[in-house]
Structures are given as structure tokens and as C-alpha cells.
Amino acid sequence: MRRCLFLFSMITRTRLCQAAPQRLRYRFRDNSILVHRQSYSDAPINKAQGPADLSAKTTVVNHCQWHEGWLFADSVFPIQIAKWDFRHYIGLLREESLLEIIGHRLEHIQTQGFKITSLEPYKKDGGVFIRFIYKTSDPENALKSIEHELSEAVVKHGGLPSWLGFNKGNIWMVKGTPWREDLDRYASPIVSVAFDGPDIQEQSLYELFRPFGRIQRLTVPGPVPVGTPRSTTITFSRLHSATIARNVLHGFCYTPVEGSGKTLLRTAYQRPVQAHAIRDWMSSHPKITLPLLVFLLGTLTYTVFDPIRSLMVQGKMLDWFDYREFRLYKWLRTNAFDLLAPASNHTPVPVGLANSVVWRERKEAVSAIKTYLSDFPTTIEFIHGPQGSGKTRLLETVLKDSGRKAMIIDCRALQNTTSDSQIVASLAAQTGYWPVFTFLNSVNNLIDLASVGLIGQKVGLNSSLDDQLRQILAIVGTALKGVNSSHLNATKRQIHKRERERSEKENQEYIWAKIERGVWHDGRLDCVAGNGIMSELGVGDEPMLVSDESSAPSSGSVEEKFSFGETPKRQSSQEEMEAVRSLPIVVIRNYAVKVGSNRVELLNVLAQWAAILAENQVAHVIVMSDNRENAKYLAKALPSKPLSLIALSDADSRSSISFVRQKLRDADIDVDLTSNQIVYVERLGGRSSDLESLVHQIRNGQPVEDAVENIISRGVAELRKSAFGDDVDDAKSLLWTREQAWTVLKLLSGRNEVPYHDVLVEFPFKGDETPLRSMEHAELISIGTHEGRPSMIRPGKPVLKWVFQRLVNGELL
């Protein structure tokens, strides 16, 4: 658009310049008026283009004394206030006619031999400079009479023509020297006046500039460096007044009455807001700007980003951004992708079939989880069991059967991060919290350091890891409420729609039943049949009573067959059930502290957030952990209510064998396990992860015996590294000594379990429980409890018993 306007203005200028010599030369007695089209000339502006050489103020022409003067006509063109101001293009279109009107209105002035020699537009300030000559022996009085005559002529015509189409301009006698510059200096209400000579008094300066318009502010000249002229600023109430003052008084030589010396005035526009003024003020007032900046950033976060983040979390929960849930993708997959894909004869096995059919030990756990999810939450469901016991698979089966959406937070992924910003980013990615600005942590640290040097204290922009995690989880909790409300509203609409259809269907059946018995009366039939005087009103002569139905063949009361009054009760009951089903599910996996890590605050923050969700009935919260002792963080966050505990243990031998056979059968492998192979499989116990590894190796072609031996041998190598370390330096990083690990391994190699306190009080533990707890966290051992107290020590998983035997017997040492 700007390029088109620029080309249009250039074409207009070219045409006007070509037409000027022929169309805009006006006869004025013996001379002519010349309209200059060259807005900014390289030649001096005082170059005479009239009947004589007028380069000086006074010139003799034909033995007569001539003088030269300038007039300034304002409001002819729009005042350009910036580069992007396109109004001057409108003035270009009317430039020819405007100058022609000005010339005609002033050509009849004859005072003191007044003659116009040129009209020079100055469109940037919206005016026109009028150059004229006059003949007189008293220039000062002659200029006054000329100005008076011109003013009367302008008033007579109602003003000078304007680009807006009506007369509003005036004409002024230029007291200084016209300066038609084309710099990037645009009009402003503030005029800077520099003094080339002695300073002018404030009152004299006011009287000099006041005729052009009301002055709002006039500053006193301040001290300046040596060699720089002193200056003052005059603020006009109108931009129009400032442009007149600047063009009329620029280059004016002021002579005070006292005769203290002449002063040359140089005027220029001053921008209302100086460059870097705001920056300089902010840097000089840090105690005001820094807290204000913190307030503005916080306001921006709460008003703009928090609603977006809440919406993104809801989108992740409701699969708004999952293309596989789009209708178009589903249609394409059904009608295109699945038809082009090669057919498979393999029938998929439902997830959890082996668990539900073979693992009888999981039935109680599944029943407990379903019971918890079928009611409003009042506490937290805590599922604990050794690693590989099938907690994740069990929960996935229950969630898939329920068909409900779940938000999964993996604590292990959070624990594996190396910095606080990575923890925040990982938690945000798992919950759908976006946008997140992790780089601001480093910036906030720098700002706090800078604020200490500026104001002596920290601004408080930087927040701790706990505060950042709580802020994210608070937004996620708000989003979960939105998910619940969205599910509930959609479910209510479906229930109302089903009940409305059910009610309409029952109503139709009720009418048909009465019609079949002959006891139905429709008043609209009376209008057609004409039954009595009341037929015109569309009703019968008399109503159909219940006693009339007794005369008809009866097979029971019609009302008894249709339960119209039970619809609201049934609808209310369904809404209560759906209100529970609409609650989202939050699953916190691997809820434990990593060995050697000190990030306990992460578990505390998650525990407090989970307790808030459960107490406020925002979501069902299920926490999974490998160690039962991690429940203490949840119990501390929820002290008034007991936790719902579900313990998962390893399956027995019979269930393990059935599990392996079922898995091989699902993989189309027909393996009839012999008694010797069953003995080898029983060495792995009922740990789900080890049995899965066994099935995988058998599917790859390994015999059962070799697969079990491979698992045991791999466990020996892993145990040597995790229990004793590769070297002395590696052993120092362990939370137990080699003597303590060897003592426990030697005791468990010969027995399935040993008393806890017998090991604790003997050498090398001597009553210190920390090494035993650390070995339990490392899954080398498992500590059984009785009535809430440690009682027995067992291997971390069943296969470790054989690993301990191999290691103690020295087959690999």
C-alpha cells in the first residue's frame, strides 16, 4: 500500500511540474506570479525570480528602491507528523487548485507596490511561503500596512483555502528567514528556541510567541557546556500554533529595548518524548521500577499465560491435539488405511488377559482399585510392591476396562534430571503445562544479583524449586476441575437426551395401549366428527373417567405398566453415577527417592498436591511405589484420613507356570514344559519382569534351561557391581560397606528369609538401620513387616536367591 501511494505521489508531482509553466502563471499588472514546484531546492532560497535581482533585502530596479519580503500561509496542506502520515498525498492532489486560489485572492493588493514573485509550498508544515516585493522608503511602516491589508483581504474571503475543502487558514508576515528543510524532523507542539547572542527575558519571549497561539509551558534556559548555545522550550497547546511560530520566527534577529545586544533566534521542533527518556528515568529510579516490573510480569502471567496453560492441560487430558482422535483420521483409517494394510490372521489378545485368568493373586487388587474408582475420592490409593511385580500392567488393565482418561506423572523421569530447570520442564511436559519459560530462572538470578548492587536487596523474581512445582501443579489442578466439569456437562446432556427419548417412547406406547383397549379420547376428533355443542372448542361432551376403563377388557391398569413418576429418580441416579465417572484419574508412578538423591522435596510437593485433589474430590489419585515406606510422605500430607493400601507380591509357582504357558500360547509357540523345565522356571519365582524376559528368550529360540541360566548369570554380574562396586573408589560411593553386603548375601544364600533384628544387632551393622534401608531401596533385599514393624529380610526378588548362591559359592569369583 505504501509503495503504491509513493508511486502515485511521484506521478502526480511529475504531472504538476510539467503543467506548471503553462497553467500556473498569473498575470499581475506588468509582471507575473511564478509558482515553484521544486519543494526543496539546492539553490539559495533568497534567489530572486521576479522582475529584478532581489538576492539582497534592498535592490534598485529601474532607478527605484525595491524591498523583498516573505509571507507564510498556514493550514493550506495537512501537517505531516511522521513518516507514515499519508495525508500529504491528499494535499498533493489539490495542490494546483489551492495555489491558484491563493494567487487570485492576493493579486488585487496594491499597497506600497505589493507584488507576488513566487509561491513556494512547504507541505511538511502544511503551509506556503509567499515571496513578494514592494517599493517604499519606509520599510517598517510599509510592512505593517501590507500586513494589515492582507489580513483584511483574508478576512473578507473567510480565510485562505484548505486541503479539507473549506477556508480556515491565515497569513503571517515572516520576521526571520524561511527554512524549507527536508530532514526527518516533524511538527511537534514543543518548539526549541536557541539563542545566538544574549538570553531573552521570559516576558519578552512570551510576548514574541504568544500571538501564534496559547502557550502552556515556557522553560528557563539552563546551564550548557562551553560552546553550546543556550536554549529554551516553548510548549503550545496546539500543533498548528507551533508550526506558525517555527516558520515565522526562525532566523529572527531580536533587539531588546534596553539595547543590550542583538540575539538571533533559531527555532526547531522538539519531540514530546525524548530518546531514551523513559529508559533513563527507569535506570535512575530502580526502587520504583523493579518492583513495578515484578508486578507487571506477575499480572501478565496470571491474566494471559495461566488460562492458556490450563487450556493446554485440558487439551492433553481430553486428546484435543491427538490426531488419532480426529474424526477425519478415524474415517481415513477405516476407509483407506485399514483396507490397504495387509491382512493378519493373528487375533490380538486383550491386555491383562493373563493377569485376569492366570494370576489369581491379582483379583483382589483389581477389585480394590475398581471399588476405589466407583465412589467419590476421600483418600489416596497407594499400590506398592517390588519392582517387576506387575503394578503398571495391572493398573493399565483397570484403566482400559474403565474407559476413563488418566494423567500419568512418572517420578523416575523427574528424578533422572540433572537440574531444577529440567525438573520443571519434565513435569510440564508430562502434564501438558505450556508455555513454560525455563530460561527465566537464569535471568531471574542475574536480576537478583543486579538488584542487590542497585537497591541493596533482592527483588524476589527468583523462586525455589518447590514454589515452581507448586505453581505448575496448581494450574494442573485447576485444569482437572475444568476436565471434570466438561465431562459432567457432556454426560448430563447425553442423559437428558436419552431420558427424553425414553419418555417420548413410553408416552407413545401408553397412548397406543389405551387406543387398543378403546379408552383413549382425543379432543381433536370432536372437531372433525362434530360431537355436541362443545365440538367447536375441540373437546368432548364429557371427560373419560377411570371408571370407564373398567368396562373395557382389562389386562391390568395401563398406568401400572408405565412408570412415569420414576423418570426423575432414575435420571438423578444416573447423574450421580456419571458424576463419579467424570472425575479424572491422576496416576503417580515410581513414587520413590532415587538412591543417592536428596530430592525429597519433590515427593513432598506431589504428596501435598495429591492430598488436595483427593480431599476436594477433584480427581481419583493412585500412587504406585516399589517400597511401602514411601507411603509416609502421603500419610503426612493427609493426616486425618488413612490411606487405601494395596500390596502386590510375587505370584506362586503354579501361577508362574500358567503365566509362561499363556504367554507362549499367545505368541503361537506350542511348548510342552517338562518337569525339569518347570523346575528351572520355578527358580525365577513369580516376578513378572523375569518371567517376561524368559518368554522373550524362548521366543527367540533358546531352550528353557539356557534362558534361565542366562538370567541368573546376568544377575550375578549386576549384583557384583551394585552390591560391591567395580573398584575401591566405586565402593566408597555406596551407602553400605562391602562387609555388610557380604554378610546379608551369605545369610540369604542358604535361607529364604532371616530375622531382621538378628541381622541388625550383629556385626557389621551394630544397630544401624541405614545400610539395610539403602539395600532395600537398591532392591537387593526386601524387608517384610509384621504389625507395622520390620520382621524378616528376604531377597529383593526370587531369582536373587540363586544369584546369591552362585556368588557365595565362588563359581564366578
Side-chain angles (χ1 to χ4, degrees):
M1 183 65 182
R2 294 180 60 185
R3 183 175 297 176
C4 294
L5 291 174
F6 176 74
L7 294 176
F8 177 73
S9 65
M10 294 301 296
I11 294 173
T12 305
R13 285 173 179 267
T14 304
R15 291 182 177 178
L16 291 177
C17 291
Q18 292 174 355
Q22 293 78 16
R23 300 181 59 185
L24 293 180
R25 187 177 298 274
Y26 312 110
R27 297 299 301 170
F28 183 72
R29 294 191 299 272
D30 298 332
N31 298 308
S32 62
I33 301 175
L34 180 62
V35 180
H36 285 269
R37 291 302 173 190
Q38 189 175 5
S39 297
Y40 307 101
S41 175
D42 296 333
I45 196 170
N46 290 329
K47 183 68 177 177
Q49 300 182 20
D53 184 9
L54 300 177
S55 59
K57 287 293 180 180
T58 302
T59 306
V60 178
V61 180
N62 296 329
H63 305 285
C64 297
Q65 190 174 7
W66 289 87
H67 297 272
E68 180 190 48
W70 291 89
L71 300 173
F72 180 74
D74 64 90
S75 303
V76 180
F77 303 103
I79 300 175
Q80 188 175 1
I81 60 176
K83 268 188 176 181
W84 47 263
D85 191 353
F86 60 88
R87 295 178 301 165
H88 67 282
Y89 293 108
I90 304 176
L92 286 175
L93 299 176
R94 302 200 58 203
E95 180 179 356
E96 181 179 347
S97 61
L98 291 174
L99 296 179
E100 186 176 349
I101 295 173
I102 293 174
H104 281 303
R105 291 187 181 182
L106 302 181
E107 66 180 0
H108 66 280
I109 305 298
Q110 300 179 2
T111 304
Q112 303 295 332
F114 176 82
K115 295 180 182 180
I116 297 176
T117 60
S118 64
L119 300 176
E120 301 183 10
Y122 186 37
K123 291 182 288 295
K124 195 169 74 167
D125 280 356
V128 176
F129 282 106
I130 304 173
R131 190 177 186 182
F132 68 94
I133 59 174
Y134 61 99
K135 184 178 181 180
T136 184
S137 59
D138 187 3
E140 184 175 355
N141 293 328
L143 288 177
K144 291 182 180 179
S145 60
I146 291 173
E147 185 177 5
H148 178 71
E149 188 74 18
L150 290 171
S151 300
E152 290 182 350
V154 171
V155 173
K156 179 180 178 182
H157 293 87
L160 293 179
S162 171
W163 64 284
L164 293 174
F166 52 86
N167 298 332
K168 62 175 293 187
N170 202 352
I171 197 163
W172 305 84
M173 186 67 67
V174 177
K175 298 180 179 181
T177 304
W179 183 24
R180 297 183 301 116
E181 42 83 14
D182 59 348
L183 302 173
D184 288 341
R185 300 176 183 174
Y186 299 99
S188 168
I190 304 176
V191 178
S192 176
V193 183
F195 304 139
D196 190 359
D199 292 349
I200 302 177
Q201 295 181 1
E202 185 177 5
Q203 182 177 355
S204 301
L205 201 61
Y206 175 82
E207 294 174 353
L208 188 61
F209 281 85
R210 181 61 181 83
F212 307 111
R214 181 178 177 273
I215 297 175
Q216 290 182 339
R217 191 177 299 104
L218 195 154
T219 62
V220 179
V224 295
V226 179
T228 303
R230 291 163 62 83
S231 63
T232 183
T233 57
I234 301 174
T235 304
F236 288 90
S237 60
R238 297 177 58 195
L239 180 65
H240 170 260
S241 303
T243 57
I244 299 174
R246 186 263 175 195
N247 290 281
V248 170
L249 293 179
H250 178 76
F252 173 63
C253 188
Y254 175 77
T255 303
V257 180
E258 296 80 3
S260 59
K262 296 182 179 182
T263 301
L264 184 65
L265 303 182
R266 303 187 184 278
T267 60
Y269 296 118
Q270 180 173 312
R271 301 172 65 180
V273 179
Q274 296 296 314
H276 312 303
I278 298 178
R279 185 193 64 184
D280 295 339
W281 186 89
M282 293 179 62
S283 61
S284 60
H285 299 81
K287 292 186 178 181
I288 299 176
T289 56
L290 289 180
L292 184 61
L293 180 63
V294 174
F295 173 76
L296 292 177
L297 290 177
T299 304
L300 180 65
T301 301
Y302 285 110
T303 56
V304 178
F305 291 114
D306 284 358
I308 296 176
R309 290 162 176 166
S310 178
L311 189 65
M312 297 300 292
V313 174
Q314 294 185 41
K316 182 178 177 64
M317 285 290 297
L318 300 176
D319 295 330
W320 290 348
F321 312 110
D322 189 0
Y323 68 92
R324 292 170 296 185
E325 299 295 331
F326 296 165
R327 294 182 179 178
L328 178 60
Y329 176 81
K330 292 181 178 179
W331 183 87
L332 290 175
R333 183 169 182 176
T334 304
N335 297 276
F337 300 155
D338 292 346
L339 297 177
L340 298 176
S344 177
N345 295 327
H346 178 68
T347 303
V349 180
V351 178
L353 178 63
N355 287 342
S356 60
V357 176
V358 180
W359 286 35
R360 299 178 178 85
E361 291 81 1
R362 298 295 183 261
K363 290 184 178 180
E364 296 181 359
V366 171
S367 177
I369 296 175
K370 289 183 177 180
T371 302
Y372 173 74
L373 295 178
S374 61
D375 195 1
F376 286 102
T378 57
T379 185
I380 301 173
E381 188 85 2
F382 185 75
I383 304 175
H384 65 92
Q387 186 176 6
S389 58
K391 300 184 295 296
T392 303
R393 184 182 297 274
L394 174 67
L395 188 58
E396 288 177 354
T397 302
V398 176
L399 293 179
K400 185 174 182 180
D401 294 340
S402 65
R404 296 167 61 179
K405 300 292 184 181
M407 174 180 290
I408 300 177
I409 299 176
D410 192 356
C411 292
R412 182 171 299 171
L414 302 178
Q415 295 279 2
N416 291 335
T417 55
T418 57
S419 62
D420 293 347
S421 60
Q422 291 183 3
I423 292 180
V424 173
S426 179
L427 181 61
Q430 293 184 31
T431 57
Y433 181 89
W434 185 90
V436 56
F437 308 105
T438 55
F439 66 91
L440 290 180
N441 291 332
S442 301
V443 177
N444 293 338
N445 290 330
L446 296 178
I447 294 176
D448 282 343
L449 292 176
S451 64
V452 171
L454 291 174
I455 61 178
Q457 61 183 4
K458 293 184 177 181
V459 179
L461 286 176
N462 191 22
S463 56
S464 62
L465 177 61
D466 295 356
D467 296 336
Q468 297 180 52
L469 296 178
R470 287 190 178 94
Q471 181 181 2
I472 294 176
L473 294 176
I475 299 298
V476 174
T478 304
L480 292 177
K481 292 181 181 179
V483 173
N484 181 17
S485 177
S486 177
H487 273 301
L488 190 58
N489 293 335
T491 303
K492 285 183 178 180
R493 288 194 297 267
Q494 294 177 1
I495 292 175
H496 292 166
K497 182 179 179 181
R498 289 197 302 264
E499 290 298 329
R500 185 169 59 252
E501 294 175 352
R502 180 187 181 94
S503 178
E504 292 176 356
K505 184 178 180 181
E506 288 184 353
N507 190 26
Q508 292 292 334
E509 293 177 354
Y510 174 76
I511 293 174
W512 279 109
K514 280 202 167 187
I515 291 175
E516 291 176 355
R517 296 186 59 193
V519 295
W520 173 252
H521 175 73
D522 191 348
R524 293 173 295 180
L525 297 177
D526 297 335
C527 295
V528 179
N531 185 12
I533 193 172
M534 300 297 294
S535 62
E536 296 180 0
L537 300 178
V539 296
D541 290 334
E542 52 187 23
M544 184 69 68
L545 302 177
V546 179
S547 59
D548 297 330
E549 298 182 11
S550 59
S551 61
S554 177
S555 59
S557 177
V558 178
E559 284 78 2
E560 294 178 357
K561 298 180 180 180
F562 300 97
S563 54
F564 296 105
E566 297 181 0
T567 300
K569 297 180 180 180
R570 181 170 57 249
Q571 182 175 341
S572 177
S573 177
Q574 290 181 1
E575 289 181 358
E576 292 179 359
M577 295 175 59
E578 293 298 334
V580 177
R581 290 180 53 84
S582 63
L583 292 175
I585 300 175
V586 177
V587 179
I588 302 178
R589 298 172 50 188
N590 300 316
Y591 186 78
V593 179
K594 186 178 179 181
V595 178
S597 175
N598 56 354
R599 291 178 176 172
V600 183
E601 67 275 5
L602 175 62
L603 301 186
N604 290 326
V605 171
L606 290 174
Q608 295 172 5
W609 179 63
I612 292 174
L613 295 181
E615 288 181 337
N616 297 332
Q617 296 183 351
V618 176
H620 291 98
V621 183
I622 300 177
V623 181
M624 295 189 299
S625 179
D626 297 338
N627 194 339
R628 188 188 62 85
E629 289 193 358
N630 293 320
K632 62 183 179 181
Y633 303 108
L634 299 173
K636 183 178 179 181
L638 197 65
S640 60
K641 298 177 182 178
L643 299 177
S644 177
L645 301 178
I646 298 178
L648 296 182
S649 59
D650 297 325
D652 56 12
S653 300
R654 181 179 177 183
S655 298
S656 301
I657 300 300
S658 300
F659 177 80
V660 173
R661 288 175 175 172
Q662 182 67 43
K663 283 291 183 179
L664 295 176
R665 193 179 301 112
D666 294 341
D668 295 333
I669 299 177
D670 188 11
V671 176
D672 189 11
L673 298 177
T674 62
S675 58
N676 186 35
Q677 292 175 340
I678 291 176
V679 172
Y680 272 88
V681 173
E682 289 177 349
R683 293 183 179 182
L684 301 180
R687 184 62 54 90
S688 174
S689 57
D690 294 335
L691 296 177
E692 292 280 359
S693 177
L694 174 64
V695 172
H696 180 71
Q697 295 186 35
I698 294 175
R699 291 176 60 182
N700 290 335
Q702 288 189 358
V704 176
E705 296 82 353
D706 295 344
V708 174
E709 288 294 332
N710 187 20
I711 294 174
I712 296 176
S713 300
R714 187 173 65 242
V716 172
E718 294 175 354
L719 182 64
R720 292 194 59 182
K721 177 178 177 59
S722 60
F724 303 100
D726 292 333
D727 49 24
V728 178
D729 295 334
D730 193 14
K732 292 180 180 179
S733 62
L734 300 176
L735 300 179
W736 57 84
T737 62
R738 290 184 172 181
E739 292 81 2
Q740 293 172 340
W742 179 257
T743 300
V744 174
L745 266 61
K746 188 174 182 180
L747 290 174
L748 293 177
S749 63
R751 291 182 288 179
N752 294 330
E753 58 184 16
V754 294
Y756 176 82
H757 291 88
D758 292 350
V759 178
L760 181 63
V761 298
E762 296 293 336
F763 179 83
F765 294 96
K766 296 182 178 180
D768 186 9
E769 293 183 339
T770 304
L772 291 175
R773 296 298 181 183
S774 300
M775 284 189 281
E776 183 184 18
H777 280 291
E779 297 180 359
L780 298 179
I781 61 175
S782 63
I783 299 176
T785 59
H786 178 68
E787 296 182 354
R789 296 182 180 181
S791 60
M792 304 299 293
I793 299 178
R794 304 182 183 87
K797 51 185 178 179
V799 73
L800 287 182
K801 176 183 178 182
W802 301 93
V803 174
F804 293 164
Q805 290 181 358
R806 294 280 181 90
L807 194 59
V808 171
N809 293 334
E811 295 182 7
L812 298 178
L813 290 177

